[in-house]
Amino acid sequence: MKTLWRWFYRTVVAVGVCFFALALLVNVTASRPLVTQSDGYIQPTVTAMQNTLSHQLPKSATDFRFCRASVGMGGRLLLYRFAAPVDELNAHAISEFEAHWDRTGYKATRNAPSPFDEHDIKRNSEFYGGNADWMLPATDAMGTLYEPADGQLSHRPTIFVDETNRVLYFQMTD
């Protein structure tokens, strides 16, 4: 009988240690950022287009840069920017909202300042582990701000078309 209890005790301890190790492993791996980003500006390619919601870019797009990050249970981040003529930037912003299959609808605010500031850039860089310094528009940036029509920002893009410098900035988190 003593041997039976000894083996039962050892089994319970072994299962407990395995459960603790598994919980620790899952917790650590779920909070480590996985970052994919461009090293500097790139020209529109398949890689660049895969980092947009609509999987397309205007033909005249240049200086594309992106950052895609995931922190497991902590959420995901998609940032990108590129330069093009203003009418193509506005058309692309609308196509990104239309490509967001289940949450369509946007409101456009003209003559708006950039919604992205140093605090946002620093928070995204630190939390998601990517370099997002290039997402900070010039101080004189004015343009059209595209936001979700329902006002909810989670799983929905925020797009700023800097009409002064002809650059589109895209951010989506969850």
Side-chain angles (χ1 to χ4, degrees):
M1 189 70 169
K2 222 177 189 185
T3 306
L4 183 63
W5 281 110
R6 185 177 301 149
W7 280 106
F8 177 72
Y9 176 75
R10 289 178 182 169
T11 303
V12 169
V13 169
V15 168
V17 167
C18 289
F19 182 76
F20 178 74
L22 180 64
L24 185 63
L25 179 68
V26 167
N27 194 16
V28 168
T29 57
S31 63
R32 293 182 53 101
L34 173 64
V35 180
T36 304
Q37 62 186 2
S38 57
D39 295 328
Y41 295 105
I42 61 173
Q43 294 307 313
T45 60
V46 173
T47 302
M49 291 181 200
Q50 288 173 345
N51 286 288
T52 68
L53 294 180
S54 61
H55 296 290
Q56 58 187 345
L57 287 168
K59 298 266 187 228
S60 61
T62 60
D63 298 335
F64 186 85
R65 193 155 186 183
F66 73 94
C67 177
R68 182 181 291 270
S70 174
V71 189
M73 300 295 284
R76 293 174 296 183
L77 171 73
L78 174 59
L79 303 171
Y80 69 81
R81 65 163 280 178
F82 66 89
V86 172
D87 57 337
E88 292 183 13
L89 295 175
N90 286 311
H92 179 77
I94 293 168
S95 73
E96 289 295 271
F97 272 96
E98 290 173 352
H100 203 224
W101 59 98
D102 63 339
R103 294 183 177 95
T104 57
Y106 65 91
K107 71 177 178 188
T109 307
R110 301 225 177 263
N111 298 321
S114 171
F116 310 119
D117 59 14
E118 290 178 7
H119 174 73
D120 292 329
I121 304 306
K122 183 178 179 186
R123 180 194 64 229
N124 287 339
S125 293
E126 289 177 358
F127 182 74
Y128 291 101
N131 176 14
D133 294 341
W134 47 267
M135 272 294 286
L136 189 60
T139 55
D140 65 339
M142 291 293 287
T144 304
L145 175 62
Y146 294 89
E147 298 175 293
D150 60 7
Q152 301 294 319
L153 296 177
S154 181
H155 295 89
R156 294 163 175 85
T158 299
I159 304 171
F160 176 65
V161 175
D162 177 358
E163 294 170 356
T164 306
N165 302 297
R166 298 188 329 251
V167 178
L168 180 139
Y169 297 90
F170 177 100
Q171 174 178 305
M172 188 167 80
T173 62
D174 67 358

